[in-house]
PDB file of all heavy atoms in Angstrom:
ATOM      1  N   ASP A   8       0.853  -1.189   0.000  1.00  0.00           N
ATOM      2  CA  ASP A   8       0.000   0.000   0.000  1.00  0.00           C
ATOM      3  C   ASP A   8       0.888   1.237   0.000  1.00  0.00           C
ATOM      4  O   ASP A   8       1.843   1.325   0.779  1.00  0.00           O
ATOM      5  CB  ASP A   8      -0.919   0.028   1.220  1.00  0.00           C
ATOM      6  CG  ASP A   8      -2.015  -1.016   1.138  1.00  0.00           C
ATOM      7  OD1 ASP A   8      -2.375  -1.399   0.010  1.00  0.00           O
ATOM      8  OD2 ASP A   8      -2.490  -1.461   2.197  1.00  0.00           O
ATOM      9  N   ILE A   9       0.559   2.208  -0.877  1.00  0.00           N
ATOM     10  CA  ILE A   9       1.275   3.476  -0.929  1.00  0.00           C
ATOM     11  C   ILE A   9       0.318   4.576  -0.486  1.00  0.00           C
ATOM     12  O   ILE A   9      -0.745   4.772  -1.094  1.00  0.00           O
ATOM     13  CB  ILE A   9       1.800   3.771  -2.347  1.00  0.00           C
ATOM     14  CG1 ILE A   9       2.701   2.637  -2.831  1.00  0.00           C
ATOM     15  CG2 ILE A   9       2.555   5.100  -2.368  1.00  0.00           C
ATOM     16  CD1 ILE A   9       3.150   2.814  -4.273  1.00  0.00           C
ATOM     17  N   HIS A  10       0.680   5.287   0.560  1.00  0.00           N
ATOM     18  CA  HIS A  10      -0.102   6.424   1.050  1.00  0.00           C
ATOM     19  C   HIS A  10       0.699   7.695   0.776  1.00  0.00           C
ATOM     20  O   HIS A  10       1.932   7.700   0.915  1.00  0.00           O
ATOM     21  CB  HIS A  10      -0.368   6.305   2.544  1.00  0.00           C
ATOM     22  CG  HIS A  10      -1.226   5.132   2.914  1.00  0.00           C
ATOM     23  ND1 HIS A  10      -2.500   5.258   3.433  1.00  0.00           N
ATOM     24  CD2 HIS A  10      -0.985   3.798   2.837  1.00  0.00           C
ATOM     25  CE1 HIS A  10      -3.011   4.058   3.665  1.00  0.00           C
ATOM     26  NE2 HIS A  10      -2.113   3.151   3.314  1.00  0.00           N
ATOM     27  N   ALA A  11       0.006   8.783   0.402  1.00  0.00           N
ATOM     28  CA  ALA A  11       0.701  10.041   0.158  1.00  0.00           C
ATOM     29  C   ALA A  11      -0.259  11.202   0.368  1.00  0.00           C
ATOM     30  O   ALA A  11      -1.483  11.064   0.217  1.00  0.00           O
ATOM     31  CB  ALA A  11       1.264  10.082  -1.261  1.00  0.00           C
ATOM     32  N   ALA A  12       0.318  12.363   0.729  1.00  0.00           N
ATOM     33  CA  ALA A  12      -0.506  13.569   0.866  1.00  0.00           C
ATOM     34  C   ALA A  12      -0.965  14.046  -0.509  1.00  0.00           C
ATOM     35  O   ALA A  12      -2.074  14.576  -0.650  1.00  0.00           O
ATOM     36  CB  ALA A  12       0.279  14.660   1.572  1.00  0.00           C
ATOM     37  N   GLU A  13      -0.103  13.867  -1.528  1.00  0.00           N
ATOM     38  CA  GLU A  13      -0.491  14.159  -2.908  1.00  0.00           C
ATOM     39  C   GLU A  13       0.442  13.428  -3.857  1.00  0.00           C
ATOM     40  O   GLU A  13       1.538  12.997  -3.464  1.00  0.00           O
ATOM     41  CB  GLU A  13      -0.481  15.662  -3.203  1.00  0.00           C
ATOM     42  CG  GLU A  13       0.863  16.317  -3.057  1.00  0.00           C
ATOM     43  CD  GLU A  13       0.830  17.796  -3.452  1.00  0.00           C
ATOM     44  OE1 GLU A  13       0.168  18.129  -4.456  1.00  0.00           O
ATOM     45  OE2 GLU A  13       1.474  18.601  -2.752  1.00  0.00           O
ATOM     46  N   LEU A  14      -0.013  13.309  -5.135  1.00  0.00           N
ATOM     47  CA  LEU A  14       0.762  12.557  -6.132  1.00  0.00           C
ATOM     48  C   LEU A  14       0.697  13.283  -7.460  1.00  0.00           C
ATOM     49  O   LEU A  14      -0.378  13.732  -7.888  1.00  0.00           O
ATOM     50  CB  LEU A  14       0.210  11.137  -6.265  1.00  0.00           C
ATOM     51  CG  LEU A  14       0.858  10.198  -7.277  1.00  0.00           C
ATOM     52  CD1 LEU A  14       0.746   8.752  -6.799  1.00  0.00           C
ATOM     53  CD2 LEU A  14       0.198  10.317  -8.675  1.00  0.00           C
ATOM     54  N   HIS A  15       1.874  13.391  -8.133  1.00  0.00           N
ATOM     55  CA  HIS A  15       1.947  13.944  -9.480  1.00  0.00           C
ATOM     56  C   HIS A  15       2.507  12.871 -10.410  1.00  0.00           C
ATOM     57  O   HIS A  15       3.607  12.354 -10.175  1.00  0.00           O
ATOM     58  CB  HIS A  15       2.867  15.174  -9.523  1.00  0.00           C
ATOM     59  CG  HIS A  15       2.311  16.357  -8.801  1.00  0.00           C
ATOM     60  ND1 HIS A  15       1.544  17.321  -9.409  1.00  0.00           N
ATOM     61  CD2 HIS A  15       2.411  16.743  -7.492  1.00  0.00           C
ATOM     62  CE1 HIS A  15       1.206  18.244  -8.532  1.00  0.00           C
ATOM     63  NE2 HIS A  15       1.722  17.910  -7.355  1.00  0.00           N
ATOM     64  N   TYR A  16       1.721  12.569 -11.475  1.00  0.00           N
ATOM     65  CA  TYR A  16       2.179  11.619 -12.490  1.00  0.00           C
ATOM     66  C   TYR A  16       2.553  12.414 -13.730  1.00  0.00           C
ATOM     67  O   TYR A  16       1.720  13.112 -14.314  1.00  0.00           O
ATOM     68  CB  TYR A  16       1.078  10.602 -12.800  1.00  0.00           C
ATOM     69  CG  TYR A  16       1.366   9.746 -14.018  1.00  0.00           C
ATOM     70  CD1 TYR A  16       2.527   8.978 -14.102  1.00  0.00           C
ATOM     71  CD2 TYR A  16       0.464   9.715 -15.086  1.00  0.00           C
ATOM     72  CE1 TYR A  16       2.788   8.201 -15.225  1.00  0.00           C
ATOM     73  CE2 TYR A  16       0.712   8.938 -16.211  1.00  0.00           C
ATOM     74  CZ  TYR A  16       1.883   8.188 -16.282  1.00  0.00           C
ATOM     75  OH  TYR A  16       2.143   7.430 -17.388  1.00  0.00           O
ATOM     76  N   LEU A  17       3.851  12.314 -14.151  1.00  0.00           N
ATOM     77  CA  LEU A  17       4.354  13.049 -15.299  1.00  0.00           C
ATOM     78  C   LEU A  17       4.698  12.043 -16.385  1.00  0.00           C
ATOM     79  O   LEU A  17       5.744  11.393 -16.335  1.00  0.00           O
ATOM     80  CB  LEU A  17       5.593  13.867 -14.909  1.00  0.00           C
ATOM     81  CG  LEU A  17       5.467  14.725 -13.634  1.00  0.00           C
ATOM     82  CD1 LEU A  17       6.779  15.419 -13.330  1.00  0.00           C
ATOM     83  CD2 LEU A  17       4.331  15.742 -13.781  1.00  0.00           C
ATOM     84  N   GLN A  18       3.798  11.918 -17.369  1.00  0.00           N
ATOM     85  CA  GLN A  18       3.955  10.869 -18.378  1.00  0.00           C
ATOM     86  C   GLN A  18       5.196  11.073 -19.228  1.00  0.00           C
ATOM     87  O   GLN A  18       5.952  10.133 -19.485  1.00  0.00           O
ATOM     88  CB  GLN A  18       2.710  10.815 -19.261  1.00  0.00           C
ATOM     89  CG  GLN A  18       2.744   9.672 -20.270  1.00  0.00           C
ATOM     90  CD  GLN A  18       1.497   9.642 -21.139  1.00  0.00           C
ATOM     91  OE1 GLN A  18       0.865  10.677 -21.370  1.00  0.00           O
ATOM     92  NE2 GLN A  18       1.124   8.469 -21.610  1.00  0.00           N
ATOM     93  N   LYS A  19       5.441  12.296 -19.701  1.00  0.00           N
ATOM     94  CA  LYS A  19       6.581  12.551 -20.565  1.00  0.00           C
ATOM     95  C   LYS A  19       7.903  12.361 -19.845  1.00  0.00           C
ATOM     96  O   LYS A  19       8.881  11.895 -20.434  1.00  0.00           O
ATOM     97  CB  LYS A  19       6.494  13.971 -21.132  1.00  0.00           C
ATOM     98  CG  LYS A  19       5.332  14.185 -22.089  1.00  0.00           C
ATOM     99  CD  LYS A  19       5.309  15.598 -22.633  1.00  0.00           C
ATOM    100  CE  LYS A  19       4.155  15.801 -23.594  1.00  0.00           C
ATOM    101  NZ  LYS A  19       4.122  17.195 -24.124  1.00  0.00           N
ATOM    102  N   GLU A  20       7.939  12.741 -18.590  1.00  0.00           N
ATOM    103  CA  GLU A  20       9.165  12.606 -17.806  1.00  0.00           C
ATOM    104  C   GLU A  20       9.326  11.213 -17.205  1.00  0.00           C
ATOM    105  O   GLU A  20      10.346  10.913 -16.584  1.00  0.00           O
ATOM    106  CB  GLU A  20       9.182  13.636 -16.672  1.00  0.00           C
ATOM    107  CG  GLU A  20       9.364  15.068 -17.117  1.00  0.00           C
ATOM    108  CD  GLU A  20       8.062  15.697 -17.593  1.00  0.00           C
ATOM    109  OE1 GLU A  20       7.029  14.990 -17.579  1.00  0.00           O
ATOM    110  OE2 GLU A  20       8.066  16.879 -17.990  1.00  0.00           O
ATOM    111  N   HIS A  21       8.294  10.368 -17.367  1.00  0.00           N
ATOM    112  CA  HIS A  21       8.313   9.019 -16.794  1.00  0.00           C
ATOM    113  C   HIS A  21       8.580   9.075 -15.279  1.00  0.00           C
ATOM    114  O   HIS A  21       9.443   8.383 -14.756  1.00  0.00           O
ATOM    115  CB  HIS A  21       9.371   8.143 -17.476  1.00  0.00           C
ATOM    116  CG  HIS A  21       9.135   7.930 -18.933  1.00  0.00           C
ATOM    117  ND1 HIS A  21       8.183   7.065 -19.405  1.00  0.00           N
ATOM    118  CD2 HIS A  21       9.721   8.497 -20.019  1.00  0.00           C
ATOM    119  CE1 HIS A  21       8.186   7.082 -20.735  1.00  0.00           C
ATOM    120  NE2 HIS A  21       9.108   7.943 -21.135  1.00  0.00           N
ATOM    121  N   GLN A  22       7.821   9.907 -14.599  1.00  0.00           N
ATOM    122  CA  GLN A  22       8.018  10.077 -13.158  1.00  0.00           C
ATOM    123  C   GLN A  22       6.697  10.068 -12.412  1.00  0.00           C
ATOM    124  O   GLN A  22       5.662  10.480 -12.954  1.00  0.00           O
ATOM    125  CB  GLN A  22       8.734  11.401 -12.854  1.00  0.00           C
ATOM    126  CG  GLN A  22      10.183  11.471 -13.286  1.00  0.00           C
ATOM    127  CD  GLN A  22      10.828  12.775 -12.873  1.00  0.00           C
ATOM    128  OE1 GLN A  22      10.379  13.436 -11.926  1.00  0.00           O
ATOM    129  NE2 GLN A  22      11.898  13.151 -13.566  1.00  0.00           N
ATOM    130  N   VAL A  23       6.754   9.634 -11.176  1.00  0.00           N
ATOM    131  CA  VAL A  23       5.671   9.787 -10.211  1.00  0.00           C
ATOM    132  C   VAL A  23       6.268  10.487  -9.006  1.00  0.00           C
ATOM    133  O   VAL A  23       7.210   9.977  -8.384  1.00  0.00           O
ATOM    134  CB  VAL A  23       5.064   8.434  -9.798  1.00  0.00           C
ATOM    135  CG1 VAL A  23       4.009   8.643  -8.718  1.00  0.00           C
ATOM    136  CG2 VAL A  23       4.462   7.729 -10.994  1.00  0.00           C
ATOM    137  N   GLN A  24       5.751  11.662  -8.675  1.00  0.00           N
ATOM    138  CA  GLN A  24       6.263  12.442  -7.547  1.00  0.00           C
ATOM    139  C   GLN A  24       5.261  12.383  -6.403  1.00  0.00           C
ATOM    140  O   GLN A  24       4.063  12.585  -6.598  1.00  0.00           O
ATOM    141  CB  GLN A  24       6.520  13.886  -7.970  1.00  0.00           C
ATOM    142  CG  GLN A  24       7.581  14.013  -9.063  1.00  0.00           C
ATOM    143  CD  GLN A  24       7.790  15.442  -9.518  1.00  0.00           C
ATOM    144  OE1 GLN A  24       7.037  16.354  -9.150  1.00  0.00           O
ATOM    145  NE2 GLN A  24       8.806  15.656 -10.345  1.00  0.00           N
ATOM    146  N   LEU A  25       5.771  12.114  -5.202  1.00  0.00           N
ATOM    147  CA  LEU A  25       4.924  11.900  -4.033  1.00  0.00           C
ATOM    148  C   LEU A  25       5.288  12.880  -2.928  1.00  0.00           C
ATOM    149  O   LEU A  25       6.462  13.161  -2.695  1.00  0.00           O
ATOM    150  CB  LEU A  25       5.094  10.467  -3.507  1.00  0.00           C
ATOM    151  CG  LEU A  25       4.808   9.335  -4.500  1.00  0.00           C
ATOM    152  CD1 LEU A  25       5.470   8.060  -4.033  1.00  0.00           C
ATOM    153  CD2 LEU A  25       3.310   9.144  -4.651  1.00  0.00           C
ATOM    154  N   ASN A  26       4.263  13.380  -2.261  1.00  0.00           N
ATOM    155  CA  ASN A  26       4.474  14.241  -1.092  1.00  0.00           C
ATOM    156  C   ASN A  26       4.077  13.467   0.156  1.00  0.00           C
ATOM    157  O   ASN A  26       2.991  12.908   0.231  1.00  0.00           O
ATOM    158  CB  ASN A  26       3.638  15.514  -1.225  1.00  0.00           C
ATOM    159  CG  ASN A  26       3.904  16.493  -0.094  1.00  0.00           C
ATOM    160  OD1 ASN A  26       4.961  16.475   0.519  1.00  0.00           O
ATOM    161  ND2 ASN A  26       2.932  17.349   0.183  1.00  0.00           N
ATOM    162  N   ARG A  27       4.971  13.414   1.126  1.00  0.00           N
ATOM    163  CA  ARG A  27       4.814  12.642   2.364  1.00  0.00           C
ATOM    164  C   ARG A  27       4.370  11.201   2.083  1.00  0.00           C
ATOM    165  O   ARG A  27       3.329  10.746   2.583  1.00  0.00           O
ATOM    166  CB  ARG A  27       3.849  13.338   3.323  1.00  0.00           C
ATOM    167  CG  ARG A  27       4.356  14.671   3.824  1.00  0.00           C
ATOM    168  CD  ARG A  27       3.671  15.106   5.096  1.00  0.00           C
ATOM    169  NE  ARG A  27       2.229  15.208   4.966  1.00  0.00           N
ATOM    170  CZ  ARG A  27       1.603  16.292   4.497  1.00  0.00           C
ATOM    171  NH1 ARG A  27       2.296  17.338   4.095  1.00  0.00           N
ATOM    172  NH2 ARG A  27       0.294  16.335   4.437  1.00  0.00           N
ATOM    173  N   PRO A  28       5.152  10.482   1.287  1.00  0.00           N
ATOM    174  CA  PRO A  28       4.771   9.094   0.959  1.00  0.00           C
ATOM    175  C   PRO A  28       5.036   8.140   2.123  1.00  0.00           C
ATOM    176  O   PRO A  28       5.942   8.352   2.933  1.00  0.00           O
ATOM    177  CB  PRO A  28       5.681   8.763  -0.225  1.00  0.00           C
ATOM    178  CG  PRO A  28       6.914   9.579   0.030  1.00  0.00           C
ATOM    179  CD  PRO A  28       6.425  10.868   0.636  1.00  0.00           C
ATOM    180  N   GLU A  29       4.245   7.081   2.158  1.00  0.00           N
ATOM    181  CA  GLU A  29       4.467   5.989   3.109  1.00  0.00           C
ATOM    182  C   GLU A  29       4.148   4.682   2.390  1.00  0.00           C
ATOM    183  O   GLU A  29       3.054   4.514   1.850  1.00  0.00           O
ATOM    184  CB  GLU A  29       3.613   6.128   4.357  1.00  0.00           C
ATOM    185  CG  GLU A  29       3.845   4.999   5.350  1.00  0.00           C
ATOM    186  CD  GLU A  29       3.089   5.184   6.655  1.00  0.00           C
ATOM    187  OE1 GLU A  29       2.351   6.188   6.779  1.00  0.00           O
ATOM    188  OE2 GLU A  29       3.226   4.322   7.546  1.00  0.00           O
ATOM    189  N   PHE A  30       5.121   3.765   2.393  1.00  0.00           N
ATOM    190  CA  PHE A  30       4.949   2.451   1.780  1.00  0.00           C
ATOM    191  C   PHE A  30       4.716   1.436   2.887  1.00  0.00           C
ATOM    192  O   PHE A  30       5.535   1.322   3.804  1.00  0.00           O
ATOM    193  CB  PHE A  30       6.189   2.076   0.957  1.00  0.00           C
ATOM    194  CG  PHE A  30       6.481   3.038  -0.159  1.00  0.00           C
ATOM    195  CD1 PHE A  30       7.168   4.219   0.083  1.00  0.00           C
ATOM    196  CD2 PHE A  30       6.062   2.758  -1.447  1.00  0.00           C
ATOM    197  CE1 PHE A  30       7.442   5.108  -0.945  1.00  0.00           C
ATOM    198  CE2 PHE A  30       6.334   3.646  -2.492  1.00  0.00           C
ATOM    199  CZ  PHE A  30       7.022   4.827  -2.224  1.00  0.00           C
ATOM    200  N   ARG A  31       3.640   0.679   2.787  1.00  0.00           N
ATOM    201  CA  ARG A  31       3.281  -0.263   3.830  1.00  0.00           C
ATOM    202  C   ARG A  31       3.166  -1.671   3.252  1.00  0.00           C
ATOM    203  O   ARG A  31       2.542  -1.877   2.219  1.00  0.00           O
ATOM    204  CB  ARG A  31       1.952   0.109   4.494  1.00  0.00           C
ATOM    205  CG  ARG A  31       1.945   1.474   5.165  1.00  0.00           C
ATOM    206  CD  ARG A  31       0.563   1.784   5.726  1.00  0.00           C
ATOM    207  NE  ARG A  31       0.498   3.124   6.287  1.00  0.00           N
ATOM    208  CZ  ARG A  31      -0.628   3.678   6.758  1.00  0.00           C
ATOM    209  NH1 ARG A  31      -1.774   2.975   6.715  1.00  0.00           N
ATOM    210  NH2 ARG A  31      -0.610   4.900   7.248  1.00  0.00           N
ATOM    211  N   ARG A  32       3.799  -2.605   3.932  1.00  0.00           N
ATOM    212  CA  ARG A  32       3.674  -4.015   3.613  1.00  0.00           C
ATOM    213  C   ARG A  32       3.529  -4.739   4.944  1.00  0.00           C
ATOM    214  O   ARG A  32       3.951  -4.209   5.971  1.00  0.00           O
ATOM    215  CB  ARG A  32       4.915  -4.502   2.838  1.00  0.00           C
ATOM    216  CG  ARG A  32       4.742  -5.865   2.218  1.00  0.00           C
ATOM    217  CD  ARG A  32       5.835  -6.161   1.213  1.00  0.00           C
ATOM    218  NE  ARG A  32       7.138  -6.406   1.830  1.00  0.00           N
ATOM    219  CZ  ARG A  32       8.205  -6.784   1.153  1.00  0.00           C
ATOM    220  NH1 ARG A  32       8.137  -6.930  -0.169  1.00  0.00           N
ATOM    221  NH2 ARG A  32       9.343  -6.983   1.762  1.00  0.00           N
ATOM    222  N   GLU A  33       2.986  -5.910   4.948  1.00  0.00           N
ATOM    223  CA  GLU A  33       2.725  -6.609   6.202  1.00  0.00           C
ATOM    224  C   GLU A  33       3.973  -6.623   7.095  1.00  0.00           C
ATOM    225  O   GLU A  33       5.013  -7.154   6.740  1.00  0.00           O
ATOM    226  CB  GLU A  33       2.292  -8.050   5.934  1.00  0.00           C
ATOM    227  CG  GLU A  33       1.936  -8.810   7.198  1.00  0.00           C
ATOM    228  CD  GLU A  33       1.509 -10.244   6.909  1.00  0.00           C
ATOM    229  OE1 GLU A  33       1.521 -10.631   5.718  1.00  0.00           O
ATOM    230  OE2 GLU A  33       1.179 -10.961   7.864  1.00  0.00           O
ATOM    231  N   GLY A  34       3.856  -5.989   8.252  1.00  0.00           N
ATOM    232  CA  GLY A  34       4.962  -5.949   9.206  1.00  0.00           C
ATOM    233  C   GLY A  34       6.037  -4.943   8.888  1.00  0.00           C
ATOM    234  O   GLY A  34       7.032  -4.852   9.609  1.00  0.00           O
ATOM    235  N   GLN A  35       5.862  -4.138   7.801  1.00  0.00           N
ATOM    236  CA  GLN A  35       6.883  -3.192   7.394  1.00  0.00           C
ATOM    237  C   GLN A  35       6.259  -1.866   6.986  1.00  0.00           C
ATOM    238  O   GLN A  35       5.140  -1.829   6.475  1.00  0.00           O
ATOM    239  CB  GLN A  35       7.710  -3.741   6.229  1.00  0.00           C
ATOM    240  CG  GLN A  35       8.430  -5.045   6.526  1.00  0.00           C
ATOM    241  CD  GLN A  35       9.227  -5.534   5.339  1.00  0.00           C
ATOM    242  OE1 GLN A  35       9.630  -4.748   4.486  1.00  0.00           O
ATOM    243  NE2 GLN A  35       9.449  -6.827   5.263  1.00  0.00           N
ATOM    244  N   ALA A  36       7.002  -0.774   7.210  1.00  0.00           N
ATOM    245  CA  ALA A  36       6.558   0.548   6.779  1.00  0.00           C
ATOM    246  C   ALA A  36       7.783   1.399   6.485  1.00  0.00           C
ATOM    247  O   ALA A  36       8.819   1.266   7.145  1.00  0.00           O
ATOM    248  CB  ALA A  36       5.696   1.210   7.838  1.00  0.00           C
ATOM    249  N   LEU A  37       7.654   2.271   5.457  1.00  0.00           N
ATOM    250  CA  LEU A  37       8.750   3.157   5.074  1.00  0.00           C
ATOM    251  C   LEU A  37       8.143   4.475   4.635  1.00  0.00           C
ATOM    252  O   LEU A  37       7.244   4.514   3.792  1.00  0.00           O
ATOM    253  CB  LEU A  37       9.543   2.529   3.916  1.00  0.00           C
ATOM    254  CG  LEU A  37      10.726   3.326   3.362  1.00  0.00           C
ATOM    255  CD1 LEU A  37      11.813   3.490   4.412  1.00  0.00           C
ATOM    256  CD2 LEU A  37      11.291   2.641   2.120  1.00  0.00           C
ATOM    257  N   ASN A  38       8.626   5.599   5.210  1.00  0.00           N
ATOM    258  CA  ASN A  38       8.059   6.897   4.866  1.00  0.00           C
ATOM    259  C   ASN A  38       9.144   7.957   4.794  1.00  0.00           C
ATOM    260  O   ASN A  38      10.269   7.759   5.256  1.00  0.00           O
ATOM    261  CB  ASN A  38       6.974   7.288   5.877  1.00  0.00           C
ATOM    262  CG  ASN A  38       7.514   7.346   7.299  1.00  0.00           C
ATOM    263  OD1 ASN A  38       8.280   8.228   7.644  1.00  0.00           O
ATOM    264  ND2 ASN A  38       7.112   6.384   8.132  1.00  0.00           N
ATOM    265  N   SER A  39       8.775   9.124   4.203  1.00  0.00           N
ATOM    266  CA  SER A  39       9.718  10.237   4.059  1.00  0.00           C
ATOM    267  C   SER A  39       8.924  11.512   3.781  1.00  0.00           C
ATOM    268  O   SER A  39       7.687  11.489   3.669  1.00  0.00           O
ATOM    269  CB  SER A  39      10.695   9.965   2.924  1.00  0.00           C
ATOM    270  OG  SER A  39      10.013   9.905   1.686  1.00  0.00           O
ATOM    271  N   ASP A  40       9.655  12.639   3.633  1.00  0.00           N
ATOM    272  CA  ASP A  40       8.983  13.905   3.307  1.00  0.00           C
ATOM    273  C   ASP A  40       8.516  13.913   1.860  1.00  0.00           C
ATOM    274  O   ASP A  40       7.393  14.328   1.554  1.00  0.00           O
ATOM    275  CB  ASP A  40       9.932  15.081   3.544  1.00  0.00           C
ATOM    276  CG  ASP A  40      10.231  15.287   5.022  1.00  0.00           C
ATOM    277  OD1 ASP A  40       9.483  14.757   5.856  1.00  0.00           O
ATOM    278  OD2 ASP A  40      11.225  15.971   5.331  1.00  0.00           O
ATOM    279  N   THR A  41       9.384  13.509   0.934  1.00  0.00           N
ATOM    280  CA  THR A  41       9.036  13.464  -0.483  1.00  0.00           C
ATOM    281  C   THR A  41       9.604  12.198  -1.097  1.00  0.00           C
ATOM    282  O   THR A  41      10.494  11.556  -0.526  1.00  0.00           O
ATOM    283  CB  THR A  41       9.589  14.686  -1.252  1.00  0.00           C
ATOM    284  OG1 THR A  41      11.026  14.661  -1.186  1.00  0.00           O
ATOM    285  CG2 THR A  41       9.060  15.983  -0.669  1.00  0.00           C
ATOM    286  N   GLY A  42       9.107  11.856  -2.281  1.00  0.00           N
ATOM    287  CA  GLY A  42       9.609  10.691  -2.989  1.00  0.00           C
ATOM    288  C   GLY A  42       9.349  10.800  -4.478  1.00  0.00           C
ATOM    289  O   GLY A  42       8.402  11.472  -4.911  1.00  0.00           O
ATOM    290  N   THR A  43      10.196  10.157  -5.277  1.00  0.00           N
ATOM    291  CA  THR A  43      10.046  10.153  -6.724  1.00  0.00           C
ATOM    292  C   THR A  43      10.319   8.755  -7.251  1.00  0.00           C
ATOM    293  O   THR A  43      11.319   8.126  -6.866  1.00  0.00           O
ATOM    294  CB  THR A  43      11.009  11.139  -7.403  1.00  0.00           C
ATOM    295  OG1 THR A  43      10.729  12.468  -6.944  1.00  0.00           O
ATOM    296  CG2 THR A  43      10.855  11.098  -8.920  1.00  0.00           C
ATOM    297  N   LEU A  44       9.420   8.272  -8.130  1.00  0.00           N
ATOM    298  CA  LEU A  44       9.605   7.003  -8.817  1.00  0.00           C
ATOM    299  C   LEU A  44       9.872   7.278 -10.289  1.00  0.00           C
ATOM    300  O   LEU A  44       9.168   8.087 -10.918  1.00  0.00           O
ATOM    301  CB  LEU A  44       8.374   6.118  -8.669  1.00  0.00           C
ATOM    302  CG  LEU A  44       8.031   5.644  -7.250  1.00  0.00           C
ATOM    303  CD1 LEU A  44       6.707   4.883  -7.264  1.00  0.00           C
ATOM    304  CD2 LEU A  44       9.138   4.789  -6.682  1.00  0.00           C
TER     305      LEU A  44
END
């Protein structure tokens, strides 16, 4: 599960930009201020 305050998908730049993202998997969690895929 990916939680975020907001998300920007940029098709031409091939990017997903996340504000306050949190990645959750059973027994695990990872978060930060910002993130880019």
Side-chain angles (χ1 to χ4, degrees):
D8 289 334
I9 303 175
H10 295 247
E13 62 176 319
L14 179 150
H15 291 268
Y16 169 57
L17 311 177
Q18 185 180 28
K19 293 181 180 180
E20 290 81 359
H21 298 284
Q22 291 183 24
V23 176
Q24 298 178 351
L25 303 160
N26 185 24
R27 295 200 302 275
E29 180 175 2
F30 300 82
R31 299 177 184 175
R32 192 167 72 175
E33 183 180 1
Q35 300 180 25
L37 179 64
N38 59 70
S39 64
D40 291 343
T41 63
T43 299
L44 295 175

